Amino acid sequence: QKEVEQNSGPLSVPEGAIASLNCTYSDRGSQSFFWYRQYSGKSPELIMSIYSNGDKEDGRFTAQLNKASQYVSLLIRDSQPSDSATYLCAVNLNYNFNKFYFGSGTKLNVKP
Amino acid sequence: DVKVTQSSRYLVKRTGEKVFLECVQDMDHENMFWYRQDPGLGLRLIYFSYDVKMKEKGDIPEGYSVSREKKERFSLILESASTNQTSMYLCASVREETQYFGPGTRLLVL
């Protein structure tokens, strides 16, 4: 079983819709959770981090964490074609050692 | 601005060659990482370092070694390149759990 699982997609949504990306993780001791965006041919960049249960909003992005169910999600409101990318979920199992596990990513296509 | 650079964007090597990939960060970060990224497998941790001359194995260290002689530089070494090491290699530097990635090196081993 992988530490972090994501649906590889592609997930296709029309422009202006809400895109919902999901991620599950296996280790209940996981402390910190991250969403990275990776455009084709580029390296990943951090867009959201979340540490406690509930929702965290930043502009059009909302991260949701449910530790009891061991999932974390990313909602993108008013999706734009420029949001088309692969979204990577990452989990830090141990804050002291900063050892991160990444999912394989979900490819999002936002159609104009 | 945070800056992480990698020595090459594209590299072609022959089987059995010794390969050096270098990563430099200008942010005085202690923690640095080497990953490889393959389709369907995501980013997999090869090695990481939390200080000068300190290193820890990640999940797939076989066939690789690392060197960190200076804080800003973290090198990945493929002792004897093999075709299954053809991949995208990403270096990252970490501050407060945020990873800053370099542009990546796409390595092809023939």
Side-chain angles (χ1 to χ4, degrees):
Chain A
Q1 182 187 5
K2 291 184 179 178
E3 296 284 350
V4 180
E5 302 252 20
Q6 294 181 256
N7 188 322
S8 61
L11 172 66
S12 291
V13 299
E15 185 175 355
I18 295 175
S20 177
L21 305 164
N22 299 311
C23 169
T24 58
Y25 59 94
S26 60
D27 193 319
R28 287 192 172 274
S30 300
Q31 302 288 328
S32 320
F33 308 86
F34 308 87
W35 283 100
Y36 284 80
R37 178 177 60 200
Q38 186 175 24
Y39 290 114
S40 181
K42 302 292 186 181
S43 52
E45 57 178 342
L46 181 69
I47 52 172
M48 290 285 289
S49 58
I50 188 166
Y51 302 94
S52 54
N53 280 328
D55 295 0
K56 179 181 177 182
E57 189 173 316
D58 184 0
R60 296 186 296 111
F61 298 96
T62 298
Q64 299 175 318
L65 175 61
N66 184 322
K67 287 188 176 181
S69 300
Q70 294 177 245
Y71 82 79
V72 57
S73 61
L74 179 70
L75 301 179
I76 306 174
R77 289 183 301 281
D78 188 24
S79 295
Q80 301 297 308
S82 59
D83 294 325
S84 297
T86 296
Y87 289 80
L88 303 171
C89 174
V91 172
N92 188 355
L93 295 183
N94 186 325
Y95 179 82
N96 289 331
F97 289 99
N98 271 328
K99 188 174 181 182
F100 300 87
Y101 284 95
F102 282 82
S104 56
T106 298
K107 186 174 175 62
L108 173 66
N109 291 328
V110 181
K111 297 181 177 179
Chain B
D1 269 358
V2 169
K3 191 168 185 180
V4 180
T5 57
Q6 294 184 229
S7 49
S8 304
R9 291 300 305 272
Y10 301 95
L11 213 49
V12 180
K13 295 292 182 181
R14 296 282 180 189
T15 301
E17 282 193 74
K18 192 168 187 176
V19 182
F20 294 86
L21 303 180
E22 288 208 320
C23 175
V24 179
Q25 50 100 358
D26 65 356
M27 299 156 290
D28 203 35
H29 291 167
E30 293 178 343
N31 294 344
M32 297 184 72
F33 296 76
W34 274 107
Y35 296 93
R36 62 178 284 178
Q37 186 173 30
D38 301 288
L41 297 177
L43 273 76
R44 292 180 292 167
L45 181 63
I46 304 171
Y47 267 97
F48 64 102
S49 170
Y50 51 90
D51 205 346
V52 175
K53 296 190 185 296
M54 306 302 284
K55 59 185 179 185
E56 291 285 341
K57 292 180 179 179
D59 299 310
I60 52 165
E62 296 79 19
Y64 304 94
S65 62
V66 290
S67 172
R68 189 144 180 225
E69 297 297 319
K70 293 185 178 182
K71 194 173 189 179
E72 67 270 20
R73 191 179 300 268
F74 190 34
S75 301
L76 179 69
I77 303 153
L78 285 66
E79 299 291 344
S80 177
S82 64
T83 55
N84 62 13
Q85 292 179 310
T86 290
S87 187
M88 169 68 86
Y89 290 87
L90 288 163
C91 171
S93 175
V94 175
R95 180 183 67 196
E96 296 178 355
E97 292 195 279
T98 297
Q99 297 192 70
Y100 299 92
F101 286 89
T105 296
R106 190 167 291 280
L107 173 66
L108 173 63
V109 181
L110 299 175

